[in-house]
Amino acid sequence: MAAMHTKLVLATLVGWVSLAAAAAADDSPDYGSDVRPLLRARCTVCHSEKNRSKVEISGGLVLDSIEGIRRGVGGKAVVKPGDPGKSSLITRLSETDEDLRMPRDADPLAEAERELLRRWVEAGLPAGGVGGTPSDESVEVGRSSRPARTGTVSISYDRPLEKNESKPVSGTIRLVAAPMPPVTALAFSPDGGRLAVGSHGRVVVWDLPKLEPAHFVDDFPGMVGSLLFPDGDRLVIGGGRPAIEGVVEIRRLSSGKLERRLTGHDDVVAAVALRPDGRALATASFDQTVRFWDLTDAATAPKVFRGHSDFVHDVVWMPDGRSVLSCSKDRSIKRIDVESLKETMTYSGHDSDVLSLALRTDGKEFVSGGIDSQLRIWSVDSEKSTKRLSGHSGPIHQLASSRSAGLTATASGDGSARLFRGDSWAPEATIPNLGEWQYAAALDADGKTLALGGWDGLTRVWKLDGKKQRLAATLVQPTLDPSKPDWLSVAADGRARASAVLIPTIRRVEGGTDVEPRLKGE
């Protein structure tokens, strides 16, 4: 498979082993739901239709469509439907000779991954719902690439005592939701009163005091990788379509109008960062570049830094506004002088992909996290990390910071979040048992509210008080259909609101018995 890259585990698909194991329990995997995400993670950076003519990269093999897989290489088949043992696509995965085994120059696939591909060939290469052409898109996740999930959403709560009740009542709001796209990006407005939630093709801006949507963006092209509020009325959305285009849009929420569209990246924009003076934007992309955009002059072409050798996952501005930090799948962190586009420092030490960065309050230190599950603390003036923080058992997909409050939060693939207070990076609290991979985290400016989102499509909003955390609300946006901007919010005490269309489909269960839903609709 991929010959030019090592460890082609798209950091957006960390934890595939869990998915593959789950898929193995189904009757038969299909290309759209099961195989395509795995191939995108480990293979199609090289073995894609766009690289077919670049034999030194792809070897002439195309794996981003069923047609390409069936075509094989030079008229020679790589799969024999129904017979994995006679399919070189399968047998090359288990070669003991590292020069023959695929992926070349990378870690071998896990047993569960190999078994999934073997069963797919054995089943005759079923296409599934996606259809298997390069132009089709499964749900692309900011820091993963799993298909949209379906099923029943259950949100628990503890209702206050009512008359004649002697003990608190626990209940559940249940909703059949299909599809439930993963939450891939989060951002608070400057005043903390609104929360932008990004998923595939959609951003919902929630009014938190009312626990209802204030704005919908339903026409973003592809996955949403990053969000930020430059001010109270503008929203910046970064994302795009994998291996096709990266897009940044600046939207006016009050009018709903698109103020500016930034194009030029050849792959998904994973992160956007605003210069401290608000006059420039930095963008990090899977196309291996960091770009710098002048927001005061649309005619000025962006500056492009090309010093990374693989996906760039995050970028943050230094307080002086003259340099940025960027991190990459190439395992490095770089400090870049924006004016000269020179690399002034490279920070090495992570064992695998570096996914996220956050600055300390005074900008003299920063923290990084990635697939290796450890946080590393760095002085901006030293190439070696000064401290490591353990605790997570899965990849750290995102770091969120409230620099004014001296608080940093993590979102991890182990289904938990952790909080670190102050410049000492002392662990303050852990929020465990969130159930699914957490991809996105955001802190409001004063560090009093934390939002977390991930694979299950739910956004949870937590109120923070020192070492105490209280779940305040759960937000759900269960459809990608622009004609049905459905939504549901459930407060910790069971108060719930929902779009009118959803209300008839929602159940409230207390003590094992269905009760009156008691929902407010819009």
Side-chain angles (χ1 to χ4, degrees):
M1 293 184 183
M4 299 295 291
H5 297 269
T6 59
K7 292 195 175 180
L8 287 178
V9 183
L10 179 63
T12 60
L13 188 72
V14 179
W16 168 261
V17 175
S18 298
L19 175 60
D26 298 335
D27 290 337
S28 62
D30 62 60
Y31 182 78
S33 297
D34 306 303
V35 173
R36 191 181 187 202
L38 173 56
L39 295 180
R40 279 187 169 180
R42 299 299 301 270
C43 310
T44 61
V45 169
C46 291
H47 296 293
S48 63
E49 185 64 37
K50 74 174 185 177
N51 287 332
R52 179 157 56 127
S53 62
K54 302 175 183 177
V55 179
E56 72 279 7
I57 296 176
S58 68
L61 177 62
V62 172
L63 299 178
D64 58 0
S65 70
I66 291 181
E67 290 78 8
I69 294 171
R70 289 182 180 277
R71 185 170 57 233
V73 181
K76 185 177 181 180
V78 297
V79 292
K80 182 177 181 180
D83 193 345
K86 294 183 178 180
S87 300
S88 61
L89 180 71
I90 304 302
T91 59
R92 292 285 292 274
L93 299 175
S94 301
E95 283 280 356
T96 56
D97 186 338
E98 292 186 3
D99 292 332
L100 296 176
R101 188 186 66 217
M102 295 294 173
R104 186 174 296 151
D105 300 326
D107 287 349
L109 267 64
E111 175 60 33
E113 296 172 315
R114 297 197 299 270
E115 175 65 11
L116 183 143
L117 292 172
R118 188 196 68 76
R119 292 177 60 246
W120 178 63
V121 172
E122 187 174 59
L125 315 185
V130 172
T133 64
S135 60
D136 291 332
E137 287 199 62
S138 59
V139 172
E140 290 295 337
V141 184
R143 307 206 184 263
S144 182
S145 174
R146 292 169 119 180
R149 68 181 304 162
T150 62
T152 301
V153 175
S154 296
I155 302 172
S156 300
Y157 62 86
D158 291 313
R159 177 171 58 75
L161 292 175
E162 295 181 355
K163 188 176 181 180
N164 299 324
E165 291 180 335
S166 59
K167 60 181 180 179
V169 176
S170 296
T172 303
I173 295 285
R174 296 179 181 173
L175 165 71
V176 177
M180 277 290 290
V183 173
T184 55
L186 296 166
F188 282 99
S189 61
D191 65 1
R194 287 169 295 167
L195 176 67
V197 179
S199 55
H200 190 270
R202 160 175 285 196
V203 179
V204 179
V205 180
W206 290 81
D207 182 320
L208 293 180
K210 295 181 179 179
L211 287 183
E212 65 183 30
H215 307 278
F216 288 93
V217 176
D218 287 301
D219 56 353
F220 187 79
M223 61 179 284
V224 175
S226 186
L227 296 165
L228 69 81
F229 281 90
D231 52 49
D233 189 39
R234 291 184 300 165
L235 178 67
V236 179
I237 310 169
R241 297 182 293 166
I244 298 175
E245 65 172 344
V247 177
V248 177
E249 292 186 349
I250 303 175
R251 300 261 184 163
R252 284 281 180 187
L253 296 179
S254 57
S255 64
K257 292 183 178 180
L258 177 63
E259 182 177 274
R260 189 171 171 186
R261 197 169 193 264
L262 309 177
T263 59
H265 282 294
D266 297 326
D267 209 327
V268 173
V269 173
V272 294
L274 188 68
R275 197 167 74 184
D277 64 4
R279 296 170 63 86
L281 195 70
T283 56
S285 171
F286 291 172
D287 68 5
Q288 305 180 16
T289 70
V290 179
R291 302 189 182 218
F292 304 97
W293 311 80
D294 187 339
L295 296 184
T296 67
D297 184 2
T300 300
K303 294 182 176 183
V304 184
F305 174 79
R306 303 182 185 276
H308 283 290
S309 61
D310 217 319
F311 300 163
V312 187
H313 288 294
D314 204 1
V315 60
V316 296
W317 286 90
M318 301 296 291
D320 61 11
R322 295 193 295 268
S323 58
V324 302
L325 297 170
S326 61
C327 66
S328 170
K329 179 179 170 63
D330 65 15
R331 308 182 189 183
S332 75
I333 303 164
K334 297 182 183 294
R335 184 174 179 176
I336 307 164
D337 180 85
V338 177
E339 180 62 30
S340 66
L341 294 179
K342 298 292 185 181
E343 177 185 323
T344 59
M345 186 79 74
T346 296
Y347 309 86
S348 302
H350 275 281
D351 298 327
S352 54
D353 312 30
V354 191
L355 302 179
S356 191
L357 301 168
L359 277 172
R360 196 177 80 165
T361 304
D362 60 8
K364 294 181 179 180
E365 285 188 333
F366 66 92
V367 60
S368 60
I371 290 182
D372 60 14
S373 305
Q374 288 188 337
L375 292 177
R376 294 175 186 252
I377 312 303
W378 312 77
S379 165
V380 297
D381 296 322
S382 175
E383 296 178 351
K384 300 297 182 181
S385 61
T386 59
K387 189 176 183 179
R388 298 185 188 185
L389 302 176
S390 301
H392 282 298
S393 60
I396 298 168
H397 286 122
Q398 191 163 31
L399 294 165
S401 65
S402 172
R403 291 177 61 195
S404 63
L407 185 66
T408 300
T410 63
S412 173
D414 64 11
S416 75
R418 290 171 67 84
L419 295 165
F420 299 85
R421 175 76 65 176
D423 291 343
S424 67
W425 301 107
E428 178 162 288
T430 299
I431 300 176
N433 304 321
L434 296 173
E436 292 283 359
W437 301 347
Q438 297 300 291
Y439 299 132
L443 282 164
D444 67 352
D446 62 8
K448 296 294 182 65
T449 308
L450 169 68
L452 297 167
W455 163 239
D456 58 8
L458 303 181
T459 300
R460 296 174 176 88
V461 181
W462 299 78
K463 290 298 183 181
L464 308 178
D465 182 11
K467 294 187 177 183
K468 297 180 180 179
Q469 313 86 43
R470 175 178 59 84
L471 179 63
T474 302
L475 312 176
V476 189
Q477 43 204 59
T479 181
L480 292 177
D481 183 354
S483 67
K484 292 183 178 181
D486 298 333
W487 57 273
L488 166 68
S489 67
V490 181
D493 62 3
R495 290 176 294 116
R497 301 176 65 86
S499 55
V501 173
L502 283 188
I503 289 179
T505 71
I506 295 172
R507 296 171 55 204
R508 184 186 292 269
V509 179
E510 294 181 355
T513 303
D514 283 16
V515 297
E516 174 63 36
R518 300 192 303 277
L519 290 167
K520 293 184 179 180
E522 295 294 331

